[in-house]
Amino acid sequence: ELLERRQSEQPKSLTTHTAVHFFVQQRGGGPTKLRKMPRTVVIVTGASRGLGRAIALSFVKEEKTFQKFSPLRILLLARSEEGLVGTKSLMQQEADKFLDATANDNDATSDLLDMTHHVIDLSDLDNLDDNLNDILDFSSSSKNNLPPFEKAILINNAGSLGHLGPCMNMTSLKELQTSLDFNITSSLWVSTRFVRSFSQQQQQQQQTKTVVVNISSLCAIEPFKTMGVYCTGKAARDMFHTVLAKETTTTEEEEGNNIKVLNYAPGALETDMAEELINCNVLDKDLHNFYVTSKKDKTAIMPQDTADLLLTVLMNDDFESGSHIDYWDLKKGTQHVCVCVMCELQNVFYSCFCFCEIKNERVKYFLLLQQLAQE
């Protein structure tokens, strides 16, 4: 009866809402209640594919990570229902690998993991507020008669490339506006509503630690020719979230707002976005060669690798609020050299690929070393 009542009370304005509900049982003739209350609530935008999907999977693919955040309620947001359903299915498969092995009569998958997916177009500013109302209501502990969440995490990931090619070659004002609405206005508003929602809960004596992760890029701090709109969007998002961090950071003498903000640059990934750049015939020549070579030599970062690293950062919780952290920053001070040797009959080809990190700059060298061949 409780489940039926809760289902009937769920928002109707969302295109899709499905959930793995918490297991309910009758105990000793007493009132029916949830066996496990969610400890962490997570919202992931752009969760239907690529990095968004990988981050969602990172919350459940490793037992130690899942134990850190569970019982977990996670809301997956994107435009593609098919993609969201696929993400949920993969998450369930990953969670079942260790939950099945450890489950007993008093512990089940549905006690620890609550997943919902919400089909939403974040570029539709006219309906954005109404859709966010529904989503934030569902993620609110007080409005769902639940104890306060210990932690609320927003992964603000959704974004697009926008116009590619020289800035002066843009011809559509509407296309530019649509891109900025999606990559800047919508992103900033999602973070604003999320922080405000959980700040209000904190004012009601519900001490939830709130974390906002803005998925950033090297493009936020360095200009790349023919990617002006994308760089602009990432730079604007970085600055907004840095200011947000500054506004919500308190001194030790003050009562803390319990809010942290992170700008995380995942590195150059092997995703559909990278494929779009490879197939673009107006991209800067050097930039295009970089993506083509990364795919050919398999040097692009896999989404799951950088997602897992992000989860490690969130678990350790030792980052400074408002900081910009790049995937490669976490390997600071190291130089990675991969030497590939290919021999074919009497023809011997030696190549050395070096990756060097210098103050957030990625420098790639392809060297043909006669000395190496001799050695």
Side-chain angles (χ1 to χ4, degrees), residues 16-258:
T16 301
H17 170 242
T18 58
V20 179
H21 289 286
F22 289 101
F23 185 82
V24 180
Q25 71 169 4
Q26 190 81 14
R27 288 187 177 180
T32 303
K33 57 183 178 180
L34 302 177
R35 282 174 52 178
K36 299 280 185 179
M37 298 300 182
R39 184 168 67 182
T40 307
V41 60
V42 178
I43 297 177
V44 183
T45 68
S48 61
R49 60 177 181 168
L51 179 61
R53 170 178 284 182
I55 293 174
L57 283 170
S58 290
F59 278 96
V60 299
K61 67 186 290 286
E62 297 292 341
E63 186 172 0
K64 64 178 182 179
T65 306
F66 187 74
Q67 288 177 347
K68 174 77 173 181
F69 296 107
S70 67
L72 172 66
R73 168 171 287 183
I74 186 162
L75 290 75
L76 308 172
L77 278 56
R79 284 180 284 195
S80 169
E81 180 175 10
E82 181 180 0
L84 288 173
V85 171
T87 300
K88 279 178 57 181
S89 177
L90 291 172
M91 290 178 66
Q92 193 68 61
Q93 291 174 29
E94 291 290 342
D96 286 345
K97 288 179 182 178
F98 55 82
L99 288 177
D100 286 347
T102 59
N104 54 53
D105 292 339
N106 297 315
D107 205 10
T109 302
S110 54
D111 290 327
L112 303 173
L113 179 60
D114 176 44
M115 296 182 292
T116 66
H117 74 266
H118 306 261
V119 177
I120 177 174
D121 183 357
L122 294 173
S123 66
D124 180 9
L125 300 187
D126 292 337
N127 296 303
L128 183 59
D129 252 337
D130 289 339
N131 286 331
L132 289 178
N133 287 339
D134 293 332
I135 291 166
L136 291 172
D137 282 351
F138 187 75
S139 63
S140 169
S141 57
S142 59
K143 293 187 178 182
N144 287 277
N145 297 318
L146 297 172
F149 298 118
E150 291 182 16
K151 181 171 285 189
I153 302 173
L154 169 66
I155 307 295
N156 198 335
N157 165 67
S160 65
L161 286 170
H163 169 82
L164 295 174
C167 296
M168 69 176 68
N169 289 356
M170 285 191 293
T171 58
S172 173
L173 176 60
K174 184 176 181 179
E175 178 186 335
L176 174 61
Q177 184 65 62
T178 300
S179 179
L180 297 180
D181 283 346
F182 180 37
N183 291 291
I184 301 179
T185 307
S186 174
S187 173
L188 272 53
W189 193 243
V190 169
S191 291
T192 298
R193 290 292 311 276
F194 181 82
V195 171
R196 183 190 303 156
S197 174
F198 285 95
S199 293
Q200 290 171 348
Q201 292 184 43
Q202 288 183 27
Q203 292 170 6
Q204 297 168 6
Q205 312 306 317
Q206 300 183 18
Q207 292 301 314
T208 300
K209 181 158 188 172
T210 306
V211 180
V212 176
V213 179
N214 168 50
I215 298 301
S216 183
S217 168
L218 183 62
C219 292
I221 57 177
E222 291 188 17
F224 286 88
K225 291 187 289 185
T226 66
M227 294 185 69
V229 174
Y230 184 75
C231 290
T232 298
K234 289 299 185 182
R237 286 169 61 151
D238 252 38
M239 181 54 71
F240 176 84
H241 286 91
T242 302
V243 172
L244 178 62
K246 205 170 189 65
E247 292 174 345
T248 54
T249 299
T250 54
T251 63
E252 294 182 359
E253 293 76 17
E254 297 174 316
E255 291 187 11
N257 281 322
N258 224 13

